């Protein structure tokens, strides 16, 4: 059961993102899409009243170990664009800095605006 209310996220998503985009689990999300390599968009079903919300997120993978040089498993997530109805996020490989698709994206969206 998702918590919704004061100091809780108005939306969150767990999504697969490698070469595609699909929702694994979510709250307040209508759809996700892969815009291009390393760029994904999350569309909200419950819109924020403005674009001054906070995004807390990470790229993930099903791994038990990690080593420098592991391509496709060491990505960082950045917010590219916010709007009241969606958020566009980018991912890049930490070894070479190239734009790249992570295996998973996990993100929560917080706003104090009503």
């Amino acid at each position: 059961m998702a918590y919704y209310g004061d100091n809780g996220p108005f939306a969150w998503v767990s999504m697969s993102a490698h070469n595609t985009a699909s929702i694994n689990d979510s709250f307040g999300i209508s759809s996700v899409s892969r815009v291009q390599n390393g760029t994904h968009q999350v569309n909200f079903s419950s819109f924020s009243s403005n674009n001054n919300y906070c995004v807390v997120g990470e790229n993930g993978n099903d791994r038990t170990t990690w080593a420098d040089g592991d391509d496709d498993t060491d990505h960082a997530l950045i917010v590219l664009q916010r709007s009241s109805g969606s958020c566009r996020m980018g991912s890049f490989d930490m070894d070479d800095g190239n734009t790249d698709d992570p295996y998973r994206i996990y993100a929560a969206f917080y706003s104090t605006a009503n």
Side-chain angles (χ1 to χ4, degrees), residues 1 8 10 13-14 16-17 24 29 50 61 65-66 69-70 78 84-85 96 103 108 113:
M1 181 171 118
F10 68 87
V13 67
S14 167
S16 296
N24 296 326
I29 305 296
N50 60 44
N61 194 5
T65 62
W66 179 82
D70 283 349
I78 60 172
S84 62
D96 56 24
Y103 280 96

Side-chain angles (χ1 to χ4, degrees), residues 35-62:
V35 177
Q36 63 186 22
N37 185 30
T39 304
H40 292 79
Q41 182 163 313
V42 175
N43 299 303
F44 307 128
S45 58
S46 54
F47 297 102
S48 175
S49 59
N50 60 44
N51 61 357
N52 295 323
Y53 52 84
C54 174
V55 181
V56 178
E58 67 165 305
N59 290 331
N61 194 5
D62 296 328

